[in-house]
Amino acid sequence: MSGAKPGRQLLRQEVVEGIKRYILDERLRPGDPLPTEPALCEALGASRSSVREAVKILNALDIVEVRHGHGTYVGRLSLSALVESLTFRGLLSPGDDFQVLADLVDVRELVERGMADRIVTQLGPDQLDSLESLVAAMREQGAGEGEGRGFVEADRAFHALLVQPLGNELVEQLSMAFWDVFAIVAPHLDGFTHADEAETVAAHQSIVDAARAGDVPAFMKSLGEHYAPVRRRISEARARDAAQA
C-alpha cells in the first residue's frame, strides 16, 4: 500500500467521481447498463487501468455491479458497505463490541418507535397474519435448535415486514443493515437463556397484538419491552468483560 503513488490515487478517485456523475447526469436507475470500458475511458479521458480500479471501488460499494461476460450495471445501491464497516468496527476490539451493540439497539428502536404511528396505521390484515406466523415460527423452532437459524431468520423477517408497509426503501435498508450487524456481533454477548427466548417471543407477540388492535401507545410499549432485555444482556456482558480485565 505504501508503494501507491499519490497522483495515481487522485486520478482513480477522479474516475470514481466521474462515473458517479455519469450515473446521475444520465438519470440511470439500478440495473441500467453502463457504457463499455473503452467508452468510459474515452468519456472520462482516463486510462483503462484507472477505469478498472474505479469500477472495483464502486462495485465494493454496491454503486455498480459487474456481471462478468455481460458488462457493468448500476448497482442496487444497498447499504452493504455500511454493514461491513460497522461489523468490522464491532469486531475490532472487545471494548467496541458492546458500544456498537448498544448504539445499534438505540438506532433500531428509534427507527421503529419513530414510525410507530404509521406502522400501526398501514399494517394490513395479511401482513399482521404474516407477523403472527413469524412469531409462531420463533416459538416453535427456538433459538437453541440447529444453531438457532430458524429463530434468527424469523426474527429478521419479522422486523423487515414491520417497516415494509411504510414504502420507504431507505428505512427498510437501514433497519435490515442494523439488524444484520447486530446479528453478527451479538454472539459476543453469550448467555441467551430459555427465559430470554421466551421473553423475546412474548415481546414480538405483544407488538403484533398492539398493531392488530391499532393501539399505538401499546405498540411503543411493546417495542420498549422487546429491546429492554437486549440492553440488559449488553450491560451484563460489559460488566463481565470489565471484571475479567
Side-chain angles (χ1 to χ4, degrees), residues 132-147:
E132 193 97 47
S133 296
L134 289 168
V135 175
M138 292 173 67
R139 185 180 295 111
E140 292 167 7
Q141 298 184 43
E145 299 176 11
E147 297 185 348

Side-chain angles (χ1 to χ4, degrees), residues 22-56:
Y22 178 87
I23 293 172
L24 293 174
D25 291 345
E26 297 298 319
R27 299 179 182 274
L28 299 182
R29 306 293 299 167
D32 287 347
L34 286 172
T36 62
E37 187 177 278
L40 282 174
C41 291
E42 182 177 352
L44 299 172
S47 67
R48 181 164 289 191
S49 62
S50 294
V51 168
R52 285 178 179 172
E53 290 176 4
V55 167
K56 286 180 181 178

Side-chain angles (χ1 to χ4, degrees), residues 103-161:
D103 291 347
L104 288 170
V105 170
D106 285 345
V107 174
R108 285 181 59 195
E109 184 175 3
L110 180 65
V111 170
E112 293 175 350
R113 287 176 68 92
M115 298 286 188
D117 191 19
R118 291 175 57 192
I119 291 173
V120 170
T121 301
Q122 296 180 33
L123 279 171
D126 291 343
Q127 290 161 323
L128 288 166
D129 289 344
S130 295
L131 288 170
E132 193 97 47
S133 296
L134 289 168
V135 175
M138 292 173 67
R139 185 180 295 111
E140 292 167 7
Q141 298 184 43
E145 299 176 11
E147 297 185 348
R149 290 307 309 166
F151 186 97
V152 171
E153 289 168 2
D155 189 0
R156 186 183 193 281
F158 182 97
H159 288 277
L161 182 55

Side-chain angles (χ1 to χ4, degrees), residues 9-230:
Q9 292 175 346
L10 178 61
L11 179 59
R12 179 177 56 194
Q13 189 58 39
E14 287 174 344
V15 178
V16 166
E17 295 303 320
I19 294 174
K20 288 161 64 176
R21 273 198 312 274
Y22 178 87
I23 293 172
L24 293 174
D25 291 345
E26 297 298 319
R27 299 179 182 274
L28 299 182
R29 306 293 299 167
D32 287 347
L34 286 172
T36 62
E37 187 177 278
L40 282 174
C41 291
E42 182 177 352
L44 299 172
S47 67
R48 181 164 289 191
S49 62
S50 294
V51 168
R52 285 178 179 172
E53 290 176 4
V55 167
K56 286 180 181 178
I57 292 171
L58 293 170
N59 185 62
L61 296 172
D62 209 14
I63 292 175
V64 305
E65 177 188 359
V66 178
R67 302 177 191 174
H68 296 291
H70 294 86
T72 303
Y73 298 78
V74 179
R76 295 172 298 137
L77 309 178
S78 71
L79 299 178
S80 57
L82 174 65
V83 172
E84 292 292 336
S85 176
L86 286 174
T87 300
F88 184 72
R89 178 190 163 200
L91 298 174
L92 189 59
S93 68
D96 281 348
D97 287 348
F98 308 121
Q99 188 58 53
V100 169
L101 288 169
D103 291 347
L104 288 170
V105 170
D106 285 345
V107 174
R108 285 181 59 195
E109 184 175 3
L110 180 65
V111 170
E112 293 175 350
R113 287 176 68 92
M115 298 286 188
D117 191 19
R118 291 175 57 192
I119 291 173
V120 170
T121 301
Q122 296 180 33
L123 279 171
D126 291 343
Q127 290 161 323
L128 288 166
D129 289 344
S130 295
L131 288 170
E132 193 97 47
S133 296
L134 289 168
V135 175
M138 292 173 67
R139 185 180 295 111
E140 292 167 7
Q141 298 184 43
E145 299 176 11
E147 297 185 348
R149 290 307 309 166
F151 186 97
V152 171
E153 289 168 2
D155 189 0
R156 186 183 193 281
F158 182 97
H159 288 277
L161 182 55
L162 202 61
V163 297
Q164 192 179 76
L166 299 174
N168 187 318
E169 188 174 347
L170 181 57
V171 168
E172 290 181 40
Q173 288 190 13
L174 280 172
S175 179
M176 289 300 93
F178 293 135
W179 195 100
D180 289 339
V181 175
F182 183 87
I184 293 169
V185 183
H188 290 258
L189 293 179
D190 297 325
F192 190 69
T193 65
H194 287 296
D196 292 326
E197 178 185 314
E199 193 172 12
T200 299
V201 172
H204 282 77
Q205 184 63 60
S206 294
I207 290 171
V208 178
D209 293 341
R212 198 181 290 278
D215 190 335
V216 175
F219 181 86
M220 296 179 69
K221 180 174 181 290
S222 298
L223 286 174
E225 292 171 350
H226 169 44
Y227 288 109
V230 184

Side-chain angles (χ1 to χ4, degrees), residues 193 195-196 199 227-238:
T193 65
D196 292 326
E199 193 172 12
Y227 288 109
V230 184
R231 288 194 174 90
R232 184 186 67 239
R233 290 176 61 212
I234 294 172
S235 178
E236 291 171 351
R238 181 178 274 159

